Amino acid sequence: MPRRYWYVILTYAIGQLSGIIGGPLLRSFGVPREDIPGIWSIIIFPIMTIIVLRLLKTDMQTARNQRSFQAGRIILWVIGGFFFVLFANYLAAYIEMAVGIQPGSENTADLVNIAESFPLFLIVTAILAPILEEVIFRKVIFGSIYQKYNFFIAAIISALIFGILHGEPEHLLIYTSVGMVFAFLYVKTKTILVPILTHISINTFVFIINFLVTEEDLERYQKQLEELQTILIGG
């Protein structure tokens, strides 16, 4: 793995752990405890993104020179990838429900709550986080493993790391399935731009749904899923 990739991983790790220092720092300025995660993310994620893109300047220049994909084809792959990710997500969620795991993500709910208080936080979760995650987990981790092993081994390892770091072990199957789809898109298109744009579209879609759908709608939808599951299992 090139040294700059290790610097990219180190930047991401430091950024993720920076709240240990950022939290007390914001508290010293009188920021309420409940506002710290949103405000610190708005501060640190742009810094992380700038550093990572700076470290990968050579890679981006090389990719720009070698890219044969036209904009229209990239858009088509992003659209197809969007529905592929949704399918993988819903299939994994159905399997989780079948084994007794309750649907819904506390992580997503927490992010939506932060975004309601700080609209700028949407830029972090819908754009900056997908850019960083695809660079880290697909370009750097998956790409490095894929140079030595086959697609499945590289995809499953990088996707598992992707899932574990999201901090919801009960939904590891969903995160892993989605991560493998992003890896597939990266390999098929040979440009990290496609999984990045697909990831951005998915995150944006999730936030729109969470803002528009009420808790009553979710309860009704969950009941319909449970009824459908009973019908399917019952034959």
Side-chain angles (χ1 to χ4, degrees), residues 7-230:
Y7 290 153
V8 167
I9 293 174
L10 181 62
T11 299
Y12 184 76
I14 292 174
Q16 293 294 324
L17 297 173
S18 63
I20 298 174
I21 298 175
L25 180 63
L26 292 180
R27 284 287 292 165
S28 68
F29 285 97
V31 177
R33 188 179 301 275
E34 62 273 14
D35 293 342
I36 288 176
I39 294 176
W40 186 248
S41 294
I42 292 171
I43 294 171
I44 197 64
F45 266 82
I47 296 174
M48 291 166 59
T49 304
I50 291 171
I51 294 174
V52 166
L53 294 181
R54 187 72 179 174
L55 288 169
L56 296 178
K57 183 178 179 180
T58 302
D59 297 70
M60 292 188 293
Q61 183 63 49
T62 301
R64 190 179 299 113
N65 294 336
Q66 296 177 346
R67 186 175 300 155
S68 59
F69 255 44
Q70 297 178 348
R73 293 185 65 190
I74 289 178
I75 292 173
L76 288 176
W77 270 102
V78 170
I79 294 173
F82 174 85
F83 289 104
F84 194 0
V85 170
L86 285 184
F87 173 77
N89 182 86
Y90 287 135
L91 180 60
Y94 178 80
I95 294 173
E96 287 188 353
M97 289 179 60
V99 298
I101 298 175
Q102 292 298 315
S105 168
E106 292 184 9
N107 183 44
T108 300
D110 291 340
L111 295 177
V112 170
N113 290 334
I114 293 174
E116 289 177 345
S117 301
F118 304 98
L120 276 177
F121 185 71
L122 288 172
I123 297 176
V124 171
T125 54
I127 299 177
L128 300 184
I131 291 174
L132 288 171
E133 289 179 352
E134 292 310 307
V135 167
I136 297 294
F137 298 108
R138 252 59 69 181
K139 181 173 180 60
V140 173
I141 297 179
F142 166 79
S144 298
I145 299 174
Y146 187 51
Q147 289 181 350
K148 298 182 179 180
Y149 301 97
N150 62 39
F151 170 81
F152 182 78
I153 292 176
I156 195 70
I157 292 175
S158 58
L160 280 171
I161 297 172
F162 172 69
I164 291 170
L165 292 183
H166 274 80
E168 291 185 303
E170 69 276 15
H171 296 306
L172 184 59
L173 179 61
I174 291 178
Y175 286 112
T176 302
S177 300
V178 169
M180 292 187 72
V181 173
F182 288 136
F184 170 79
L185 294 174
Y186 181 34
V187 168
K188 293 297 291 184
T189 62
K190 295 181 175 62
T191 171
I192 196 63
L193 186 61
V194 168
I196 284 176
L197 293 177
T198 303
H199 200 154
I200 288 174
S201 67
I202 286 292
N203 279 24
T204 302
F205 173 75
V206 169
F207 268 89
I208 290 174
I209 292 299
N210 276 275
F211 276 120
L212 295 181
V213 177
T214 64
E215 291 187 6
E216 291 76 13
D217 293 331
L218 289 175
E219 291 176 359
R220 184 166 59 252
Y221 176 62
Q222 181 176 343
K223 185 176 180 180
Q224 291 173 347
L225 281 179
E226 291 172 351
E227 292 173 350
L228 176 60
Q229 178 183 1
T230 301

